[in-house]
Every structure is written in C-alpha cells, then in structure tokens.
C-alpha cells in the first residue's frame, strides 16, 4: 500500500552514465496538516544479492578482495575491500543471481542457498534492496579459480579464512564492508559457526 501522505511530483534524470541518478520532487503531508514540497536525489543501480559461504568442518568462510573506487576516494589508502560475494540481479531472481555470482567470483558451484533476510543498505540515497544468503561449501564444489568476469572488468581475489579470524578482522578494521559484517555476525548470532 502506497503512503497516502507522499505525492511524487516530478522525476528528473541527472545522470544515466553508469546507473541512474534521479532528482525526485515530492510533496509531504506533515503531521500538523500542512504540505511541504521536497527534493532528493536517489541513485538507482538495481537490486542485488550477497552470499557468505561457510564450511563447518574446516570452520572457514569464503570472502573476496577487490578494488572499490568509492572507498579509495573516501580514505581507504589501497582501495581494496574484503567482502562477501555479491552482484546485481540484472534480470535474474535473487537465488539464481547469487548462484551465478558465486561461481563467477569464487569458483564454487553451489546448488542450494538459504535466504536469511533482505535490507536497504543506504536508504538515504540508494534505492537498492540487497538479498542476503548463506550456503555451506566444500572443496568438492570448487570448479574453477573464480576471480570474476574479465569482460566486466573484475579482478577478484578469493580468500578462504578461518571464521574466528574473519570476526577479528571486523575489530581491526580489515573488514569494513557492511554486508559482509552483517553476514558474519548472522553466522555468529544464529550459532551456525
């Protein structure tokens, strides 16, 4: 059900170079009965999915490391970020997307995933909903080296880390990616690892 206190008045495309940056003007019916017109920018890059692969036997998780320009221009000296495997849905449903991304980025072919929740990651400026998954992995599922797709400019390093070490990396600041922190904490809180 749409919010009856909000009326969208105008949407102007500011940029559609990579994804779409819109300026949206809308009216808000305030609690005191007055109406106020506001404008905000919203970046639409589509929705995505993220997964944390874990192995209970070896007590390890699979993460990735890659260059992320926004972190580089905002204080990350190397621009390298350790993350859980993720990708945009494109035209897939979240489950098919994350299975495809897992194989492309990590080299693991997984057949079953468990959806744990979905979340808006930066709701003040980005429209994206991210679908969060977990899945068990084993060495037998490794079918290639991963690393992402060259045609997409991906240059991804695959990391297999002890689960406890990955948790410590949050404390030391080596892991600063929100989606990764959320999934590592999920495994801990739910007693999965």
């Amino acid at each position: 059900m749409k919010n009856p206190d909000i009326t969208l008045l105008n949407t102007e495309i500011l940029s559609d170079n990579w994804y779409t940056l819109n300026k949206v003007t809308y009216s808000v019916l305030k609690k005191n009965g007055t109406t106020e017109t506001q404008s905000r920018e919203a970046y639409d890059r589509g929705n995505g999915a993220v997964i944390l692969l874990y192995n209970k036997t070896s007590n390890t998780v699979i993460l990735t490391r890659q260059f992320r320009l926004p972190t580089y221009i905002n204080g990350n000296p190397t621009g390298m970020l350790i993350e859980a495997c993720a990708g945009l849905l494109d035209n897939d449903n979240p489950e098919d997307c994350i299975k495809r991304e897992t194989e492309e980025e990590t080299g693991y072919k997984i057949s079953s995933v468990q959806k744990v929740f979905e979340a808006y990651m930066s709701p003040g400026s980005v429209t994206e909903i991210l679908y969060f998954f977990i899945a068990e992995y084993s060495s037998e599922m490794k079918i290639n080296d991963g690393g992402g797709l060259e045609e997409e400019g991906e240059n991804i390093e695959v990391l297999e880390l002890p689960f406890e070490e990955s948790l410590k990396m949050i404390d030391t600041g080596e892991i600063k990616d929100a989606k990764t922190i959320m999934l590592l904490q999920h495994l801990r809180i739910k007693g999965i690892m």
Side-chain angles (χ1 to χ4, degrees):
M1 181 170 138
K2 294 279 187 181
N3 186 338
D5 297 339
I6 304 293
T7 303
L8 298 179
L9 302 173
N10 187 48
T11 300
E12 175 187 354
I13 296 175
L14 300 179
S15 173
D16 64 355
N17 185 36
W18 186 252
Y19 298 111
T20 306
L21 178 61
N22 291 307
K23 179 180 179 184
V24 180
T25 304
Y26 58 98
S27 66
V28 179
L29 178 62
K30 298 169 69 173
K31 290 182 183 181
N32 65 9
T34 64
T35 301
E36 180 177 279
T37 299
Q38 299 179 356
S39 289
R40 298 289 184 271
E41 292 179 3
Y43 192 57
D44 184 355
R45 47 171 278 150
N47 295 326
V50 60
I51 192 165
L52 183 59
L53 301 178
Y54 66 94
N55 184 308
K56 287 184 178 182
T57 304
S58 62
N59 204 30
T60 54
V61 293
I62 298 294
L63 297 174
T64 64
R65 182 180 7 238
Q66 63 184 305
F67 179 76
R68 294 297 197 180
L69 176 65
T71 74
Y72 185 69
I73 60 178
N74 193 24
N76 179 355
T78 66
M80 301 302 284
L81 200 65
I82 296 174
E83 307 174 55
C85 171
L88 293 176
L89 298 187
D90 298 323
N91 294 317
D92 284 338
N93 65 54
E95 187 173 313
D96 289 341
C97 165
I98 205 57
K99 288 177 181 177
R100 179 191 74 240
E101 289 292 333
T102 300
E103 189 173 327
E104 289 173 5
E105 291 189 7
T106 71
Y108 286 88
K109 186 171 183 66
I110 54 174
S111 56
S112 64
V113 297
Q114 178 187 347
K115 181 181 172 192
V116 292
F117 52 82
E118 55 190 70
Y120 291 100
M121 294 303 292
S122 189
S125 60
V126 181
T127 61
E128 178 183 38
I129 292 175
L130 197 56
Y131 298 88
F132 288 75
F133 294 91
I134 57 174
E136 289 192 67
Y137 78 94
S138 66
S139 58
E140 294 80 28
M141 296 176 177
K142 184 83 167 167
I143 61 168
N144 63 56
D145 291 336
L149 298 178
E150 192 169 318
E151 62 266 20
E152 292 182 8
E154 295 177 320
N155 184 23
I156 299 168
E157 179 185 358
V158 181
L159 307 172
E160 184 173 35
L161 299 170
F163 178 64
E164 292 300 325
E165 181 182 332
S166 68
L167 290 175
K168 289 176 186 170
M169 292 171 77
I170 297 170
D171 294 336
T172 63
E174 293 170 86
I175 294 178
K176 290 186 177 182
D177 176 63
K179 64 188 179 297
T180 305
I181 294 169
M182 293 166 73
L183 282 171
L184 288 168
Q185 294 293 352
H186 176 81
L187 290 185
R188 170 62 67 188
I189 291 167
K190 297 294 185 179
I192 295 169
M193 292 284 284

